[in-house]
Amino acid sequence: MGLSNVVGDLSLEMEVDAFRRLFPLRFYERHLSESIRPDGRTLKSARDTSVALGAVASADGSALTKIGSTTMLAAAKMEVMTPSADAPDEGSIDCCFVAVEYYMPSICSPLVRPGRPAEIAPVISKQLYDTILSSGMIDLKELSLISGKAAWMVYLDIYCLDADGALFDAALLSAVAAFSHLRFPVVSLNDEGRLVMVPEEGNGDKSGKEVVNKEKRKLSLSSPPFSLTCALHKNYILADPTSEEEAVMETFVTVVLNSSGHLVSLYKPGGPVLTQTSVIQDCIALTRQRMKEVQEILDESISGMEID
């Protein structure tokens, strides 16, 4: 290739990049008209997804998930609590997106400034909490240890390591994966009648105290929820948008389904009113397809952990 060709290619690349920065909507509309996206995906295709369980050794359950470049690290810790008088046979779940605790660092996105929490953090935190509880994924009675006296409190922290769009989808996937990996610690009663953790080394409690749960067991999940965010522009539906696409589009729909295919919730923050029910139906259909893909990825990760 001659020098003139190299200069010509670089010049063309610079022109495309400048057009993309100066006129982002027109840049995307040119791609949409050809049913393709700048990253090579079709309009209704999600990005490559991966799940790695057991990413945090000190946690009772953890997972590192990636959807494209969007990366989430979820870690669940369990503590013994006194159940409320209204629900003596139930435990509790405290689900928080860690940015609420200022754990969403500025390196995860150019939109997050140092020393300031991301504005989207408490919104996603509330969405996660509502979704996990309303989906019925976790039977709170399974968290009971001693009726009326002791139950498990589950703390879930989710660290956003790279924010490149579809943050709620990635956060929810990391939460479900962490709960799939979660194991109940072994506890026993001490002389004062309080529950204490039994060290993992050794077989059981060497002190002779009554062991409440004799072995670490998995948390049973019932129809875990999965979600897909779609960006809407004119007559186009873009599944799993990147942060650049989110900055260009103004209307978004996030559909949450459980593994049985039933609708758990539907979020539509801002944007014009949707008058066509077919758009919502298309988004739900895309979510069902996406749910099957993600469920297979999660099942493979769980199977790999069991083999190890």
PDB file of all heavy atoms in Angstrom, residues 55-56 59 61-65 72-76 156-159 171 173-179:
ATOM      1  N   ALA A  55     -16.108 -14.386  42.304  1.00  0.00           N
ATOM      2  CA  ALA A  55     -15.066 -13.394  42.038  1.00  0.00           C
ATOM      3  C   ALA A  55     -14.484 -12.800  43.319  1.00  0.00           C
ATOM      4  O   ALA A  55     -13.366 -12.296  43.318  1.00  0.00           O
ATOM      5  CB  ALA A  55     -15.625 -12.271  41.160  1.00  0.00           C
ATOM      6  N   VAL A  56     -15.230 -12.840  44.428  1.00  0.00           N
ATOM      7  CA  VAL A  56     -14.775 -12.283  45.705  1.00  0.00           C
ATOM      8  C   VAL A  56     -14.757 -13.408  46.732  1.00  0.00           C
ATOM      9  O   VAL A  56     -15.816 -13.868  47.188  1.00  0.00           O
ATOM     10  CB  VAL A  56     -15.690 -11.138  46.192  1.00  0.00           C
ATOM     11  CG1 VAL A  56     -15.171 -10.550  47.497  1.00  0.00           C
ATOM     12  CG2 VAL A  56     -15.804 -10.057  45.124  1.00  0.00           C
ATOM     13  N   ALA A  59     -16.639 -13.056  50.188  1.00  0.00           N
ATOM     14  CA  ALA A  59     -18.087 -12.898  50.191  1.00  0.00           C
ATOM     15  C   ALA A  59     -18.762 -14.267  50.263  1.00  0.00           C
ATOM     16  O   ALA A  59     -18.171 -15.293  49.919  1.00  0.00           O
ATOM     17  CB  ALA A  59     -18.551 -12.145  48.949  1.00  0.00           C
ATOM     18  N   GLY A  61     -21.375 -14.919  48.501  1.00  0.00           N
ATOM     19  CA  GLY A  61     -21.780 -15.141  47.120  1.00  0.00           C
ATOM     20  C   GLY A  61     -21.318 -13.962  46.293  1.00  0.00           C
ATOM     21  O   GLY A  61     -21.435 -12.814  46.728  1.00  0.00           O
ATOM     22  N   SER A  62     -20.766 -14.201  45.115  1.00  0.00           N
ATOM     23  CA  SER A  62     -20.249 -13.082  44.313  1.00  0.00           C
ATOM     24  C   SER A  62     -20.214 -13.461  42.848  1.00  0.00           C
ATOM     25  O   SER A  62     -20.245 -14.634  42.474  1.00  0.00           O
ATOM     26  CB  SER A  62     -18.845 -12.680  44.779  1.00  0.00           C
ATOM     27  OG  SER A  62     -17.935 -13.758  44.616  1.00  0.00           O
ATOM     28  N   ALA A  63     -20.142 -12.436  42.011  1.00  0.00           N
ATOM     29  CA  ALA A  63     -20.091 -12.661  40.563  1.00  0.00           C
ATOM     30  C   ALA A  63     -19.558 -11.423  39.867  1.00  0.00           C
ATOM     31  O   ALA A  63     -19.819 -10.292  40.286  1.00  0.00           O
ATOM     32  CB  ALA A  63     -21.468 -13.011  40.018  1.00  0.00           C
ATOM     33  N   LEU A  64     -18.816 -11.649  38.806  1.00  0.00           N
ATOM     34  CA  LEU A  64     -18.347 -10.586  37.922  1.00  0.00           C
ATOM     35  C   LEU A  64     -19.045 -10.792  36.581  1.00  0.00           C
ATOM     36  O   LEU A  64     -18.916 -11.845  35.959  1.00  0.00           O
ATOM     37  CB  LEU A  64     -16.829 -10.654  37.733  1.00  0.00           C
ATOM     38  CG  LEU A  64     -16.213  -9.608  36.797  1.00  0.00           C
ATOM     39  CD1 LEU A  64     -16.285  -8.220  37.433  1.00  0.00           C
ATOM     40  CD2 LEU A  64     -14.766  -9.968  36.467  1.00  0.00           C
ATOM     41  N   THR A  65     -19.815  -9.803  36.149  1.00  0.00           N
ATOM     42  CA  THR A  65     -20.554  -9.929  34.896  1.00  0.00           C
ATOM     43  C   THR A  65     -20.159  -8.824  33.931  1.00  0.00           C
ATOM     44  O   THR A  65     -19.850  -7.702  34.342  1.00  0.00           O
ATOM     45  CB  THR A  65     -22.071  -9.877  35.135  1.00  0.00           C
ATOM     46  OG1 THR A  65     -22.424  -8.598  35.670  1.00  0.00           O
ATOM     47  CG2 THR A  65     -22.509 -10.965  36.098  1.00  0.00           C
ATOM     48  N   MET A  72     -19.863  -5.270  35.978  1.00  0.00           N
ATOM     49  CA  MET A  72     -20.383  -5.165  37.335  1.00  0.00           C
ATOM     50  C   MET A  72     -19.788  -6.260  38.209  1.00  0.00           C
ATOM     51  O   MET A  72     -19.660  -7.411  37.781  1.00  0.00           O
ATOM     52  CB  MET A  72     -21.912  -5.300  37.349  1.00  0.00           C
ATOM     53  CG  MET A  72     -22.646  -4.246  36.570  1.00  0.00           C
ATOM     54  SD  MET A  72     -22.740  -2.670  37.446  1.00  0.00           S
ATOM     55  CE  MET A  72     -23.457  -1.633  36.159  1.00  0.00           C
ATOM     56  N   LEU A  73     -19.448  -5.892  39.433  1.00  0.00           N
ATOM     57  CA  LEU A  73     -18.970  -6.854  40.427  1.00  0.00           C
ATOM     58  C   LEU A  73     -19.961  -6.857  41.581  1.00  0.00           C
ATOM     59  O   LEU A  73     -20.152  -5.826  42.237  1.00  0.00           O
ATOM     60  CB  LEU A  73     -17.578  -6.476  40.924  1.00  0.00           C
ATOM     61  CG  LEU A  73     -17.000  -7.363  42.031  1.00  0.00           C
ATOM     62  CD1 LEU A  73     -16.799  -8.784  41.521  1.00  0.00           C
ATOM     63  CD2 LEU A  73     -15.682  -6.786  42.551  1.00  0.00           C
ATOM     64  N   ALA A  74     -20.597  -7.988  41.823  1.00  0.00           N
ATOM     65  CA  ALA A  74     -21.588  -8.098  42.897  1.00  0.00           C
ATOM     66  C   ALA A  74     -21.057  -9.009  43.989  1.00  0.00           C
ATOM     67  O   ALA A  74     -20.473 -10.063  43.711  1.00  0.00           O
ATOM     68  CB  ALA A  74     -22.906  -8.653  42.351  1.00  0.00           C
ATOM     69  N   ALA A  75     -21.262  -8.598  45.239  1.00  0.00           N
ATOM     70  CA  ALA A  75     -20.814  -9.394  46.386  1.00  0.00           C
ATOM     71  C   ALA A  75     -21.909  -9.390  47.451  1.00  0.00           C
ATOM     72  O   ALA A  75     -22.405  -8.334  47.835  1.00  0.00           O
ATOM     73  CB  ALA A  75     -19.511  -8.838  46.953  1.00  0.00           C
ATOM     74  N   ALA A  76     -22.292 -10.583  47.901  1.00  0.00           N
ATOM     75  CA  ALA A  76     -23.332 -10.725  48.927  1.00  0.00           C
ATOM     76  C   ALA A  76     -22.710 -11.218  50.227  1.00  0.00           C
ATOM     77  O   ALA A  76     -21.902 -12.154  50.217  1.00  0.00           O
ATOM     78  CB  ALA A  76     -24.402 -11.702  48.452  1.00  0.00           C
ATOM     79  N   LEU A 156     -26.209  -6.922  49.743  1.00  0.00           N
ATOM     80  CA  LEU A 156     -25.699  -7.061  48.374  1.00  0.00           C
ATOM     81  C   LEU A 156     -25.087  -5.746  47.920  1.00  0.00           C
ATOM     82  O   LEU A 156     -25.770  -4.724  47.873  1.00  0.00           O
ATOM     83  CB  LEU A 156     -26.828  -7.475  47.426  1.00  0.00           C
ATOM     84  CG  LEU A 156     -26.458  -7.579  45.950  1.00  0.00           C
ATOM     85  CD1 LEU A 156     -25.471  -8.720  45.727  1.00  0.00           C
ATOM     86  CD2 LEU A 156     -27.707  -7.795  45.100  1.00  0.00           C
ATOM     87  N   ASP A 157     -23.820  -5.771  47.593  1.00  0.00           N
ATOM     88  CA  ASP A 157     -23.127  -4.599  47.050  1.00  0.00           C
ATOM     89  C   ASP A 157     -22.779  -4.869  45.596  1.00  0.00           C
ATOM     90  O   ASP A 157     -22.284  -5.942  45.252  1.00  0.00           O
ATOM     91  CB  ASP A 157     -21.833  -4.314  47.820  1.00  0.00           C
ATOM     92  CG  ASP A 157     -22.097  -3.851  49.232  1.00  0.00           C
ATOM     93  OD1 ASP A 157     -23.183  -3.283  49.462  1.00  0.00           O
ATOM     94  OD2 ASP A 157     -21.249  -4.069  50.110  1.00  0.00           O
ATOM     95  N   ILE A 158     -23.042  -3.891  44.754  1.00  0.00           N
ATOM     96  CA  ILE A 158     -22.728  -4.028  43.332  1.00  0.00           C
ATOM     97  C   ILE A 158     -21.817  -2.876  42.924  1.00  0.00           C
ATOM     98  O   ILE A 158     -22.183  -1.714  43.065  1.00  0.00           O
ATOM     99  CB  ILE A 158     -23.995  -4.030  42.458  1.00  0.00           C
ATOM    100  CG1 ILE A 158     -24.912  -5.184  42.869  1.00  0.00           C
ATOM    101  CG2 ILE A 158     -23.638  -4.148  40.983  1.00  0.00           C
ATOM    102  CD1 ILE A 158     -26.220  -5.216  42.122  1.00  0.00           C
ATOM    103  N   TYR A 159     -20.656  -3.214  42.451  1.00  0.00           N
ATOM    104  CA  TYR A 159     -19.651  -2.231  42.059  1.00  0.00           C
ATOM    105  C   TYR A 159     -19.656  -2.077  40.540  1.00  0.00           C
ATOM    106  O   TYR A 159     -19.452  -3.051  39.816  1.00  0.00           O
ATOM    107  CB  TYR A 159     -18.259  -2.672  42.520  1.00  0.00           C
ATOM    108  CG  TYR A 159     -18.108  -2.784  44.006  1.00  0.00           C
ATOM    109  CD1 TYR A 159     -18.628  -3.868  44.698  1.00  0.00           C
ATOM    110  CD2 TYR A 159     -17.436  -1.799  44.732  1.00  0.00           C
ATOM    111  CE1 TYR A 159     -18.494  -3.982  46.072  1.00  0.00           C
ATOM    112  CE2 TYR A 159     -17.303  -1.908  46.104  1.00  0.00           C
ATOM    113  CZ  TYR A 159     -17.838  -2.987  46.756  1.00  0.00           C
ATOM    114  OH  TYR A 159     -17.715  -3.092  48.125  1.00  0.00           O
ATOM    115  N   ALA A 171     -26.411  -4.814  36.169  1.00  0.00           N
ATOM    116  CA  ALA A 171     -26.482  -4.868  37.626  1.00  0.00           C
ATOM    117  C   ALA A 171     -27.418  -5.978  38.086  1.00  0.00           C
ATOM    118  O   ALA A 171     -27.109  -6.720  39.021  1.00  0.00           O
ATOM    119  CB  ALA A 171     -26.946  -3.518  38.180  1.00  0.00           C
ATOM    120  N   LEU A 173     -28.229  -8.688  36.387  1.00  0.00           N
ATOM    121  CA  LEU A 173     -27.593  -9.965  36.074  1.00  0.00           C
ATOM    122  C   LEU A 173     -26.539 -10.318  37.123  1.00  0.00           C
ATOM    123  O   LEU A 173     -26.453 -11.468  37.563  1.00  0.00           O
ATOM    124  CB  LEU A 173     -26.958  -9.913  34.683  1.00  0.00           C
ATOM    125  CG  LEU A 173     -26.155 -11.148  34.263  1.00  0.00           C
ATOM    126  CD1 LEU A 173     -27.015 -12.398  34.310  1.00  0.00           C
ATOM    127  CD2 LEU A 173     -25.573 -10.950  32.864  1.00  0.00           C
ATOM    128  N   SER A 174     -25.762  -9.329  37.548  1.00  0.00           N
ATOM    129  CA  SER A 174     -24.743  -9.592  38.566  1.00  0.00           C
ATOM    130  C   SER A 174     -25.377  -9.971  39.898  1.00  0.00           C
ATOM    131  O   SER A 174     -24.852 -10.812  40.633  1.00  0.00           O
ATOM    132  CB  SER A 174     -23.824  -8.379  38.735  1.00  0.00           C
ATOM    133  OG  SER A 174     -24.510  -7.297  39.339  1.00  0.00           O
ATOM    134  N   ALA A 175     -26.529  -9.361  40.218  1.00  0.00           N
ATOM    135  CA  ALA A 175     -27.233  -9.694  41.458  1.00  0.00           C
ATOM    136  C   ALA A 175     -27.739 -11.129  41.424  1.00  0.00           C
ATOM    137  O   ALA A 175     -27.554 -11.892  42.375  1.00  0.00           O
ATOM    138  CB  ALA A 175     -28.391  -8.724  41.677  1.00  0.00           C
ATOM    139  N   VAL A 176     -28.388 -11.503  40.320  1.00  0.00           N
ATOM    140  CA  VAL A 176     -28.902 -12.867  40.179  1.00  0.00           C
ATOM    141  C   VAL A 176     -27.756 -13.875  40.228  1.00  0.00           C
ATOM    142  O   VAL A 176     -27.857 -14.929  40.868  1.00  0.00           O
ATOM    143  CB  VAL A 176     -29.692 -13.011  38.862  1.00  0.00           C
ATOM    144  CG1 VAL A 176     -30.057 -14.475  38.603  1.00  0.00           C
ATOM    145  CG2 VAL A 176     -30.955 -12.160  38.904  1.00  0.00           C
ATOM    146  N   ALA A 177     -26.650 -13.558  39.564  1.00  0.00           N
ATOM    147  CA  ALA A 177     -25.491 -14.458  39.556  1.00  0.00           C
ATOM    148  C   ALA A 177     -24.899 -14.601  40.953  1.00  0.00           C
ATOM    149  O   ALA A 177     -24.530 -15.707  41.374  1.00  0.00           O
ATOM    150  CB  ALA A 177     -24.442 -13.935  38.578  1.00  0.00           C
ATOM    151  N   ALA A 178     -24.793 -13.500  41.693  1.00  0.00           N
ATOM    152  CA  ALA A 178     -24.250 -13.555  43.053  1.00  0.00           C
ATOM    153  C   ALA A 178     -25.146 -14.387  43.958  1.00  0.00           C
ATOM    154  O   ALA A 178     -24.665 -15.177  44.784  1.00  0.00           O
ATOM    155  CB  ALA A 178     -24.090 -12.142  43.612  1.00  0.00           C
ATOM    156  N   PHE A 179     -26.468 -14.223  43.824  1.00  0.00           N
ATOM    157  CA  PHE A 179     -27.389 -15.027  44.624  1.00  0.00           C
ATOM    158  C   PHE A 179     -27.313 -16.495  44.219  1.00  0.00           C
ATOM    159  O   PHE A 179     -27.483 -17.390  45.059  1.00  0.00           O
ATOM    160  CB  PHE A 179     -28.825 -14.526  44.458  1.00  0.00           C
ATOM    161  CG  PHE A 179     -29.122 -13.265  45.232  1.00  0.00           C
ATOM    162  CD1 PHE A 179     -29.817 -12.223  44.635  1.00  0.00           C
ATOM    163  CD2 PHE A 179     -28.703 -13.124  46.544  1.00  0.00           C
ATOM    164  CE1 PHE A 179     -30.103 -11.071  45.342  1.00  0.00           C
ATOM    165  CE2 PHE A 179     -28.973 -11.961  47.255  1.00  0.00           C
ATOM    166  CZ  PHE A 179     -29.680 -10.946  46.658  1.00  0.00           C
TER     167      PHE A 179
END
